[in-house]
Amino acid sequence: MVSLVAGVRRRLPASTLGRNLLLVLAALVVVVLLLELTDPFRNSQLATMSYYAIAAAGLTVLTGLNGQISLGHGALMAVGAYAMGLLLNTGVVPFPLAMLAAAAVTAVVGVVVGAAAARLHGPYLAGATLALAIGVPGLAIHFDGVFGGEQGLQISSPRPPDWFADVIYFLFANEAGSAKYFAYIGWLTLLAVLLLLSNLVASRYGRVWRAIRDDEVAAELAGVPLGRLRVLAFVVSAACAGLAGAVLGIVVRLAAPSGFTIVLSLSLLTAVVVGGLGSLGGALLGSALLVFLPPAVTGLGMQAGLTGVQAAQLAPLAYGVVLVTVMLLAPGGAMGIARALWHARPRRRFAQQPANTHRMDEEPSTTDATEPGGRT
Amino acid sequence: MNKHIGRRDLLRAGGWGLAAATAGSLFGACGAGGRPGGSSEVGITGNTVKIGAHFPLTGVAAPGYSDIPTGTKAYFDYVNAHGGVNGRKIEYIFRDDAYNPSNTSQVVNELVLQDQVFAIVGGLGTAPHSAVLDFLNSEGVPDLFVSSGSLLWDQPKKNPYTFGWQPDYEVEGKIIGRYVHRNMPNARVGLFLQDDDFGDDGEKGARAYLGDQVVAAQRYVSGNTDVAPQIAALQAAGADLVLGFNVPSYTALSQLASLKLNYRPQWFYSNVGSDPALVGSLLSRFSKGEVSGASMLDGVITTEYLAGVEEADDPWVELWQQVWDAHGGEGELTNFRLYGMAEAYTFVQTLQAAGPDPTRDGLVAALEKVGAELQGPGLAPFRYSGDSHAGMAGVKVSRLAGNSTEKLSPVFVTDNGKAEITEYTGRNPGPPPNGIPSVEPVG
């Protein structure tokens, strides 16, 4: 097993971009197979997972790599979803353009919030972003003429075009309903985001972000403009959240304040922590847990003879238990365990490099990650 | 459908190049035959009918609302124990959406695509249900008796599969407005409104009759628990009758705020916000035990469209009690459970009307045809027809007194917009002896 892992590692391309491209292409094949081999309901679950994962990937870069905590990513998703809704409902903006615009709008909000956040640390930063999570849904209620108030803004999601149904039927002899179409939109977006983020993380910016996270004073002495780079991290993360909100808007077909409560922000944070702080793969795993765990637990509860209400109440409990267990037994999250396996053998090819660059990945800073608690 | 098959077959036969064709035949093997014929109706077998619903079973909206599906389930179990409908047992699956529209979309996907339910019955909440309105109608899934008084459910052209059930907030507002105008012509009315379509529709209905009797209108935003400013503004405007279109927790909050301000107007809460048991328990919780129970609501005026648990000798309530004792789980019969049972009763009627071999479209057609004549636990008739998917047409006004209610008006019925308000003269015949409706199938 270990020698196999080492063998695979030796054959990967040397350049980061090449390696990431290869990974994303492989992932694309897996995703297509997954979507075509599963039923429409699993497709719809995977669509849901894709928007959680996009947001979680952005958050893990911010919190895991740059050390800034955000309890406001749910609100940033709301910005993206509402922007998406308003653009799509005009009926003239094609949805890919609307998605980019939603990400851009959220990035602008990210500049403002990030500028404030860059001056704050620890609990103060958590508090400020928490205010965002509470405040933004309130705005949607206050300006109900534009945003539809409490009952929300209905979004006219794109219908699967004929060519899409034709291609799917031609290739796989499968029907292509809207659940599948949304899942493809979500996962293609997710893979693009993962490709961009993984390159960014491996680039100069990623290194500088980690440097700031690990020691601000040292980073500043080395000539790193702290403020600007922290804002940049926030903006990148916000753009991801906006894109996630846009996908959510398409999948849910509604943007309503009750969809973007503090629970959403906390769920994202728990996904990131359970998956492994600072790791994109971990964000993916954590989001899968968010989507697949509650129905699985509810199903088990029903089989065990609980009433429907009791079984439903079991899900948040199980979620909390998983979180506590991971924190106690594997603080590095699921990816921490995977990485321990990956690096189990002494390395030959990388022996010349200073071990530090890898060690940083392995030990994400958990100092800023206050326990977010279970889903309330 | 056939047109599409033809085109795709052509595409397939033509082929788009070797690689694609290879892939096509490879994967085609996995999915071939994936076009199921529509021989039998989804969710219906020879001896079962599967239906689903979404409710907040966890989270802030769960207290009270999570009782509704337990009532519905108890009544379906009762019907099943008596042989079901046309020999079919009703399988009822309800899932938790925590009142979050994103979750609603997930659980309704699960119900429709995974559990393959025949229909959705009684899904709760304006915002949560809005998220699945489009999906259910595009999939052709009957979406009956949404548990919300929004006007959104009555759009038969746009959403042909969706039906409301309870009186909508505008109709209720109109009846309340006229009652106050006729019986308390000198009252200075203050409006206490939830800042969404619930408050807006109610206000629109009430103002149609109250005109210049309204001295102030104050809105609260759901989630902000400090309503002292709004109550103080109503007090300052000299309102001596406060009309509330608000949810139960805000009934409790407004009562506590007015207690602090020593403000004692006549309170008039719309049906949604007036469940004495729930408000009572909320009051003692919010005040940390200083204010006890429902006694504070004595003398409060409200409206009703179903007999409540406090009317223990009402024949319908007797039936519900009997059903709950035999098939309920833990806990007492509450007004929420009773609401769920009443919805279940209407569904059984609809299923009977759809005949021995119900289809999804047949169910909708049957409801449009006989819906307005259904006799059930509702005090007012439904407005269902080909042009209307609106629920009950009216309410009666009553006063809370201790553990019972005192009738103040007969049942009034009306419709949205300028429709006149008339007294409903039909008599409710009470439940059939065995507690199970017997509606003739429509031709």
Side-chain angles (χ1 to χ4, degrees), chain A residues 33 40-42 44 48 150-151 159 162 165-166 169-175 252-254 258-259 312-313, chain B residues 7-8 11-12 24 27 31 35 57-58 96 99-101 106 109-110 114 127 131 134-135 152 196-197 222:
Chain A
L33 282 179
F41 168 60
R42 294 287 168 214
S44 77
T48 305
E150 184 75 42
Q151 74 188 65
R159 307 261 170 206
D162 281 347
D166 286 341
Y169 189 71
F170 173 64
L171 288 177
F172 309 105
N174 277 348
E175 279 299 332
V252 178
R253 309 181 215 218
L254 181 84
S258 45
Q313 287 164 346
Chain B
R7 192 147 52 98
R8 283 174 200 161
L11 280 174
R12 181 181 243 189
F27 291 115
R35 304 198 140 205
L57 306 178
T58 63
D96 179 32
Y99 211 79
N100 173 343
Q106 280 180 64
N109 274 330
E110 188 171 1
Q114 174 98 330
D134 196 29
F135 171 69
L152 279 174
D196 63 7
D197 68 316
S222 185

Side-chain angles (χ1 to χ4, degrees), chain B residues 25-374:
Chain B
S25 54
L26 260 179
F27 291 115
C30 313
R35 304 198 140 205
S39 59
S40 70
E41 195 68 14
V42 179
I44 297 235
T45 67
N47 45 22
T48 59
V49 180
K50 202 192 273 183
I51 58 174
H54 60 89
F55 284 94
L57 306 178
T58 63
V60 283
Y65 290 153
S66 66
D67 283 354
I68 294 175
T70 61
T72 307
K73 184 162 173 26
Y75 185 72
F76 285 145
D77 287 347
Y78 175 84
V79 172
N80 291 344
H82 287 73
V85 177
N86 290 321
R88 291 190 185 89
K89 304 242 190 285
I90 299 172
E91 267 182 55
Y92 176 62
I93 311 173
F94 56 97
R95 296 194 182 278
D96 179 32
D97 64 9
Y99 211 79
N100 173 343
S102 320
N103 293 355
T104 312
S105 138
Q106 280 180 64
V107 298
V108 169
N109 274 330
E110 188 171 1
L111 288 167
V112 171
L113 302 173
Q114 174 98 330
D115 302 325
Q116 308 250 318
V117 296
F118 176 62
I120 298 287
V121 177
L124 186 136
T126 305
H129 200 76
S130 303
V132 294
L133 203 53
D134 196 29
F135 171 69
L136 291 174
N137 281 283
S138 66
E139 296 277 322
V141 182
D143 175 24
L144 309 183
F145 317 143
V146 184
S147 303
S148 143
S150 167
L151 297 170
L152 279 174
W153 326 128
D154 177 24
Q155 304 180 59
K157 294 264 169 345
K158 191 170 160 225
N159 299 313
Y161 290 91
T162 299
F163 290 79
W165 187 76
Q166 66 190 61
D168 61 70
Y169 305 130
E170 185 191 349
V171 158
E172 191 183 359
K174 280 174 72 176
I175 293 170
I176 291 173
R178 196 181 75 143
Y179 176 84
V180 170
H181 185 65
R182 289 207 167 167
N183 296 282
M184 309 168 206
N186 299 318
R188 295 164 59 79
V189 178
L191 300 175
F192 179 63
L193 308 163
Q194 178 156 306
D195 197 2
D196 63 7
D197 68 316
F198 170 29
D200 292 348
D201 294 348
E203 180 184 17
K204 185 173 146 205
R207 277 193 193 267
Y209 290 87
L210 287 173
D212 50 9
Q213 264 187 281
V214 177
V215 294
Q218 288 292 317
R219 291 158 204 285
Y220 71 87
V221 170
S222 185
N224 180 354
T225 54
D226 180 16
V227 294
Q230 286 90 334
I231 302 298
L234 292 173
Q235 186 178 24
D240 54 16
L241 183 146
V242 176
L243 186 50
F245 285 90
N246 55 269
V247 292
S249 48
Y250 282 85
T251 302
L253 290 169
S254 60
Q255 287 293 316
L256 291 175
S258 62
L259 201 63
K260 273 188 201 145
L261 294 165
N262 197 24
Y263 175 44
R264 301 176 195 284
Q266 169 68 51
W267 291 93
F268 193 147
Y269 291 105
S270 75
N271 181 281
V272 171
S274 67
D275 183 59
L278 180 63
V279 173
S281 76
L282 288 169
L283 270 172
S284 48
R285 182 139 54 96
F286 291 165
S287 66
K288 304 204 171 62
E290 281 179 34
V291 176
S292 68
S295 60
M296 257 192 95
L297 293 185
D298 268 5
V300 162
I301 306 178
T302 183
T303 66
E304 287 182 297
Y305 51 85
L306 293 171
V309 278
E310 62 284 348
E311 297 162 57
D313 49 357
D314 181 280
W316 286 103
V317 178
E318 279 171 1
L319 169 65
W320 305 141
Q321 190 64 56
Q322 189 192 332
V323 168
W324 185 252
D325 290 343
H327 297 280
E330 289 165 30
E332 296 286 298
L333 181 65
T334 62
N335 278 337
F336 291 100
R337 294 193 163 117
L338 195 147
Y339 177 101
M341 290 189 194
E343 277 186 346
Y345 189 91
T346 316
F347 177 72
V348 170
Q349 290 180 308
T350 312
L351 194 59
Q352 289 174 337
D357 293 305
T359 61
R360 282 174 163 175
D361 288 342
L363 192 73
V364 168
L367 191 55
E368 286 181 344
K369 196 157 181 197
V370 301
E373 290 136 39
L374 293 178

Side-chain angles (χ1 to χ4, degrees), chain A residues 119-182:
Chain A
R119 297 162 194 273
L120 299 171
H121 286 272
Y124 305 104
L125 180 55
T129 50
L130 183 67
L132 188 70
I134 306 287
V136 167
L139 285 180
I141 295 174
H142 189 76
F143 298 103
D144 56 350
V146 187
F147 300 119
E150 184 75 42
Q151 74 188 65
L153 177 72
Q154 298 228 21
I155 297 175
S156 35
S157 294
R159 307 261 170 206
D162 281 347
W163 64 259
F164 174 77
D166 286 341
V167 168
I168 294 294
Y169 189 71
F170 173 64
L171 288 177
F172 309 105
N174 277 348
E175 279 299 332
S178 55
K180 180 164 287 180
Y181 187 54
F182 296 162

Side-chain angles (χ1 to χ4, degrees), chain A residues 63-64 213-214 273 276-277 327 331-333 363-371:
Chain A
T63 305
R213 175 197 70 195
D214 290 339
V273 170
L277 202 55
M327 286 295 91
E363 293 164 18
S365 157
T366 46
T367 46
D368 277 339
T370 50
E371 316 82 80

